[in-house]
Amino acid sequence: MRFVEYVIFKSRIVILALLAVFTVVMGFYATKLHMEAGFLKQVPTRHEYVQTFLKYQNEVPGANLILIAVKTHHGTIWTPAFLKRLYEVTDEVTFLPGVRRTTVQSLWSTTTRVTENTEQGINSYPVIPGNVTANAITEADAALIRDRALNGGHKGFLVSNDQTAALIVAELQEVDPVTRQKLDYLNLADRLEKQVREKYEDKDTSIEIVGFAKFIGDIANGASAVAIFFGLAFLLTALSVYLYVRSVQLMLLAVFCSLVSVVWQFGLLHLMGRGLDPLAVLVPFLVYAIGVSHGVQQVNMIATQMSLGFSAEDAAKATFSRLFVPGTLALVTALVGFSTLYLIPIEVIQDLAVMASLGVALKIVTNLVMLPLVASYLPNDPGFAATYTRLKKPRERVMRFVARVAKPRNATIVLLIFIGLLAVAVHQTRNRHIGDLTPGFSELWPSARYNRDIADIVQRFSISADALIVVVETPADGCIDYKTMHLVDRFSTYMRNVEGVNSVRSLPTSVRSTAAIWHEGNLRWVGLPRSQTELIQMTAPYDPSTGLLNETCTVLPVVIYMNDHKATSIESVVTAVKKFSATDAEARSRPDVNFRLAMGGIGVMAATNDVIAESEFPMLMWVYVAIIVLVLVAYRDWRAVICCCMPLLLATFLGYWFMTALGIGLKVSTLPVLVLATGIGVDYAFYIYSRLQIFLKEGMSMSDAYSLALQQIGVAVVFTGVTLSIGVSTWAFSGLKLQADMGLLLSFMFLVNMVAAIFFLPAFAVTLDRLFPRNVRPA
């Protein structure tokens, strides 16, 4: 380290000049970084459910839908004015970018038909006659459309059950088939808001929009408010650092170096061709928080050295030599931990892993090298030494009192508390859930417009955006084979009785109604015809655009509309599908019929929940394996592994318990934050143990060594934990529930990691030292 110190400080002018140029260049590219989102980025594309979606996405309406409900405030929808408004909205939606036009369904779609038995025979025609135009529609036309829509069985699907709203359904395509450009979801969300809602919503009509595109757009819009709370946390952090060191120069130094790495991070992300996903907006602040954590340790050591009479350059050199190794160890450990997120096969989490790992790697340069180099040029302040010395004395008294935890008797008591807390936390962790725990999207507040729209659509219609599509693979012409249709019909009835299911649509359930029509509407004939000839007649009105079959009748999708997408609801319906396929005698006797999971929004969520559940334990295991290996390499002492890892283990389980208590489920947007917070907790343990080991090697007793280590490092650790905790706690007032929840979780994790490192690390150190004495002689 003396050699490295000599080389770096000898070349400090050149190094700082190069870093300044690099900062300017990265700042230029950072301004070009933009938000981007993608539907397939949010899903595990290698999961069997998503493979089903990818295989049949061109034959069956899939998970990436948008639903627009046009609702009247007065009377019913059967008025010329409302039907004209519905036509205008349908036309606007049809020509939005990314919309697969052949999949658009509304009362005005030519594929929306009614089949009737008349004096002339069986007729099938559009609900809205071809000679009716939106600008010339009359009351008589509106009455005719009403009768056709209700007779055609569209109530509950395209028409609300109370007849006060009409639905428009459209499927999105990820890539434009002509330009081959990826769909810009944020642009589409903006168009949905401005060209649909703002344009057509008035005092008489409401427009409700749900679907992934609108959801991710609302998250992105909330990100503008996120910046405000980031700024508030930044100001609180800067103020706290100043109150700690009472030096504007050192405060600016700690904050500036932490911000510089974020600028570098943004610039490099742009050069790597990556954008910032709306669900990853919290990562930059977490990277900044890690920088502040290390920056405080650096300025604390610099201030201590300067208060002892050393020059700024000598103080910077001493700080570099003493803190570079523990700081690098902590950052490398955090980097490896964040890299394990890449094990989760979901692109948005893998992008987040790259972003976080890159940001932490840059901290090695900005906070451990650049900061002491800049500090070496600070002017000497004669009054600073006296001021800081006066501040240190009461802090050191407090630390000496806290260090009494390293007394054998106190350590035993603390260790018993640790065991009790860990046992309770592990027990409570069993109640954690994968996925959402509330009916709406947990990233948004229940009062958010999007969640209110979902609730209203579910209440008024028999369908929703939360649909599970089971793809029933059959032999060719399965739709005109009675045994096959009967099996699918029985499955549809079985799923309709599963708790949490709103309604079920399939070809057999639709054919049942058609059969009655062919027999003059006699309800005795509601059922599946047994002869192939009759089945050909009954299925003729249904073409592939209905989403109930494909061209060759080898796929008969069963669409299961759910009341919500809570984790328990998803697990219940998926289990029911598997149970029917495995236990139903008729299904087991038909090996040529396969009930394949799953398409629809619920199918994608089920796949995501499965992957997170499968990846959670291996990911955490690799995080701890990385920490153990690095601690052994750095300290060459198995005691260090236990002392550093056990407090971290307790903090992790307490974090799970906290999430369970707040009703926060593990999902794409929350699991990475828990891992990132764990990475910050590593810093506290490493800095404390590094100083403790040095004093132990000098022959001090455990109690004296820990007391001195806390006096040098402990104040900075406590200050960092409290400061970051207060800073992120302000997020609880954010308009974006994701940020509010993560603010509370991070605030809790910062404090718990700090308390665990201060109290439980020495308890383990004392106990291990008593059981396995060290062979250390005074220097």
Side-chain angles (χ1 to χ4, degrees):
M1 282 308 304
R2 283 195 294 270
F3 173 74
V4 173
E5 172 200 313
Y6 173 78
V7 172
I8 288 180
F9 278 85
K10 189 74 173 176
S11 311
R12 55 181 175 164
I13 294 179
V14 176
I15 293 174
L16 288 176
L18 292 174
L19 293 178
V21 172
F22 185 72
T23 301
V24 172
V25 174
M26 288 301 102
F28 171 75
Y29 287 113
T31 60
K32 298 180 178 296
L33 185 71
H34 63 280
M35 281 194 179
E36 64 176 29
F39 176 74
L40 292 180
K41 287 178 62 178
Q42 315 293 324
V43 301
T45 53
R46 294 197 294 270
H47 192 278
E48 59 175 319
Y49 298 174
V50 182
Q51 288 294 310
T52 301
F53 163 71
L54 295 174
K55 179 178 180 179
Y56 291 110
Q57 62 179 329
N58 294 323
E59 299 182 68
V60 181
N64 200 3
L65 301 175
I66 52 172
L67 276 63
I68 299 97
V70 184
K71 185 175 67 174
T72 181
H73 295 168
H74 310 289
T76 68
I77 65 174
W78 311 116
T79 64
F82 180 88
L83 291 172
K84 178 183 178 183
R85 178 60 51 89
L86 179 63
Y87 171 82
E88 293 169 341
V89 177
T90 302
D91 191 57
E92 194 77 54
V93 170
T94 301
F95 294 98
L96 286 174
V99 171
R100 197 189 299 268
R101 296 175 188 174
T102 57
T103 66
V104 176
Q105 297 180 53
S106 85
L107 289 178
W108 283 96
S109 303
T110 56
T111 55
T112 304
R113 307 179 71 82
V114 56
T115 302
E116 293 181 333
N117 193 334
T118 67
E119 292 84 352
Q120 290 78 32
I122 300 296
N123 287 333
S124 179
Y125 35 74
V127 166
I128 298 182
N131 61 349
V132 173
T133 60
N135 291 325
I137 195 169
T138 64
E139 292 287 351
D141 293 332
L144 176 63
I145 294 169
R146 177 197 62 206
D147 294 341
R148 288 188 174 185
L150 299 181
N151 290 339
H154 299 293
K155 183 180 177 181
F157 295 94
L158 295 180
V159 178
S160 65
N161 291 309
D162 59 3
Q163 302 181 47
T164 60
L167 199 64
I168 303 167
V169 183
E171 185 177 8
L172 302 179
Q173 45 193 355
E174 189 82 3
V175 178
D176 190 294
V178 178
T179 64
R180 310 307 301 172
Q181 295 291 317
K182 282 189 174 183
L183 174 61
D184 186 342
Y185 281 90
L186 301 185
N187 175 263
L188 175 60
D190 187 60
R191 286 171 178 260
L192 284 169
E193 191 65 33
K194 293 180 178 178
Q195 294 179 211
V196 178
R197 175 171 282 156
E198 292 182 5
K199 185 176 180 179
Y200 296 107
E201 189 171 64
D202 55 31
K203 60 183 178 61
D204 299 318
T205 310
S206 295
I207 306 292
E208 299 172 343
I209 308 172
V210 299
F212 171 77
K214 191 67 181 72
F215 162 72
I216 205 68
D218 287 357
I219 293 291
N221 289 336
S224 58
V226 168
I228 296 174
F229 284 94
F230 281 173
L232 179 60
F234 169 78
L235 292 176
L236 287 174
T237 303
L239 177 62
S240 299
V241 175
Y242 171 76
L243 293 175
Y244 178 71
V245 295
R246 298 298 172 89
S247 168
V248 175
Q249 296 170 338
L250 291 176
M251 178 271 290
L252 292 175
L253 189 59
V255 172
F256 171 76
C257 291
S258 299
L259 282 177
V260 165
S261 65
V262 177
V263 174
W264 292 3
Q265 180 187 26
F266 283 177
L268 289 173
L269 284 174
H270 175 74
L271 291 177
M272 294 166 65
R274 297 177 180 269
L276 184 62
D277 192 279
L279 292 177
V281 293
L282 303 182
V283 175
F285 180 82
L286 290 176
V287 172
Y288 167 75
I290 292 174
V292 170
S293 175
H294 289 274
V296 169
Q297 294 291 344
Q298 297 278 325
V299 298
N300 173 63
M301 184 65 72
I302 291 170
T304 300
Q305 293 296 309
M306 292 176 68
S307 69
L308 296 175
F310 291 95
S311 66
E313 182 176 350
D314 290 337
K317 288 180 178 180
T319 299
F320 177 83
S321 298
R322 295 181 184 181
L323 298 184
F324 184 81
V325 171
T328 301
L329 176 63
L331 288 171
V332 170
T333 303
L335 188 152
V336 174
F338 300 159
S339 300
T340 60
L341 287 170
Y342 207 86
L343 296 174
I344 301 178
I346 300 176
E347 187 178 348
V348 66
I349 294 184
Q350 293 176 337
D351 286 350
L352 189 149
V354 171
M355 184 192 311
S357 300
L358 177 64
V360 171
L362 295 173
K363 294 295 179 190
I364 297 176
V365 179
T366 58
N367 287 79
L368 303 184
V369 176
M370 187 174 76
L371 191 153
L373 288 182
V374 175
S376 67
Y377 287 102
L378 292 178
N380 290 324
D381 183 357
F384 173 74
T387 301
Y388 193 75
T389 300
R390 188 173 64 255
L391 290 172
K392 277 201 316 179
K393 290 181 179 179
R395 296 172 180 175
E396 289 177 350
R397 282 198 300 271
V398 173
M399 288 298 102
R400 282 195 296 270
F401 176 79
V402 172
R404 294 169 65 181
V405 72
K407 301 287 185 182
R409 179 175 175 275
N410 296 337
T412 302
I413 295 173
V414 170
L415 204 57
L416 291 174
I417 295 173
F418 173 90
I419 294 171
L421 281 174
L422 183 61
V424 174
V426 171
H427 177 75
Q428 293 293 332
T429 298
R430 297 185 309 165
N431 299 322
R432 74 189 188 281
H433 286 283
I434 309 294
D436 281 316
L437 302 180
T438 54
F441 279 89
S442 58
E443 290 84 356
L444 302 170
W445 291 105
S447 59
R449 178 66 188 267
Y450 186 91
N451 281 337
R452 287 189 284 115
D453 286 354
I454 285 182
D456 194 58
I457 289 175
V458 170
Q459 179 184 357
R460 294 176 184 275
F461 293 86
S462 299
I463 69 172
S464 69
D466 295 326
L468 175 72
I469 302 177
V470 180
V471 179
V472 184
E473 298 173 327
T474 72
D477 296 329
C479 59
I480 55 174
D481 177 68
Y482 173 74
K483 289 184 178 180
T484 302
M485 289 284 281
H486 181 258
L487 176 59
V488 177
D489 186 44
R490 288 185 63 252
F491 174 68
S492 302
T493 303
Y494 175 82
M495 295 308 300
R496 190 180 293 114
N497 293 303
V498 174
E499 185 177 357
V501 172
N502 188 325
S503 62
V504 177
R505 287 187 69 198
S506 65
L507 183 62
T509 57
S510 300
V511 166
R512 279 177 164 274
S513 301
T514 306
I517 294 173
W518 278 83
H519 294 84
E520 300 181 353
N522 192 326
L523 295 180
R524 295 174 60 187
W525 291 94
V526 174
L528 282 176
R530 292 177 177 269
S531 72
Q532 189 177 71
T533 303
E534 284 188 292
L535 279 174
I536 292 173
Q537 278 186 325
M538 303 311 162
T539 56
Y542 301 97
D543 58 48
S545 66
T546 62
L548 300 178
L549 73 166
N550 66 347
E551 292 284 355
T552 57
C553 274
T554 56
V555 171
L556 301 179
V558 178
V559 186
I560 304 165
Y561 295 105
M562 305 285 295
N563 290 325
D564 55 61
H565 58 260
K566 291 191 292 187
T568 50
S569 301
I570 294 175
E571 184 179 359
S572 173
V573 72
V574 170
T575 301
V577 174
K578 293 179 178 179
K579 181 180 178 181
F580 181 89
S581 179
T583 61
D584 183 79
E586 187 177 351
R588 294 178 63 185
S589 68
R590 293 293 304 274
D592 56 340
V593 177
N594 180 30
F595 293 85
R596 183 167 175 173
L597 288 164
M599 298 181 69
I602 295 294
V604 169
M605 292 180 193
T608 304
N609 292 349
D610 279 356
V611 167
I612 290 179
E614 293 169 2
S615 304
E616 178 193 6
F617 177 74
M619 182 189 65
L620 288 175
M621 182 188 70
W622 283 114
V623 168
Y624 279 93
V625 167
I627 293 173
I628 290 170
V629 170
L630 289 169
V631 170
L632 283 174
V633 170
Y635 299 120
R636 298 177 187 142
D637 184 359
W638 61 269
R639 299 175 185 83
V641 173
I642 296 176
C643 291
C644 292
C645 291
M646 294 308 290
L648 197 61
L649 181 67
L650 175 63
T652 300
F653 278 104
L654 286 175
Y656 277 125
W657 183 9
F658 188 77
M659 291 178 68
T660 302
L662 285 187
I664 303 173
L666 284 172
K667 52 190 299 187
V668 170
S669 57
T670 58
L671 180 61
V673 174
L674 186 65
V675 176
L676 295 174
T678 302
I680 295 176
V682 174
D683 300 351
Y684 304 146
F686 283 169
Y687 276 114
I688 292 174
Y689 197 84
S690 294
R691 302 308 299 169
L692 177 64
Q693 189 187 50
I694 289 173
F695 296 135
L696 288 174
K697 286 183 176 180
E698 292 177 359
M700 291 186 181
S701 67
M702 179 62 70
S703 178
D704 292 340
Y706 188 65
S707 178
L708 196 54
L710 272 195
Q711 291 177 54
Q712 292 189 1
I713 298 294
V715 177
V717 168
V718 172
F719 164 79
T720 302
V722 173
T723 298
L724 293 178
S725 181
I726 293 174
V728 297
S729 66
T730 61
W731 296 3
F733 303 100
S734 172
L736 193 62
K737 190 172 183 293
L738 170 64
Q739 187 187 17
D741 287 343
M742 292 306 97
L744 293 175
L745 175 61
L746 287 171
S747 179
F748 177 78
M749 291 296 289
F750 288 151
L751 284 177
V752 165
N753 276 303
M754 178 268 290
V755 171
I758 291 289
F759 289 98
F760 297 127
L761 185 153
F764 277 100
V766 170
T767 303
L768 292 173
D769 198 52
R770 292 172 63 191
L771 296 175
F772 308 97
R774 300 167 185 262
N775 295 320
V776 178
R777 296 287 181 268

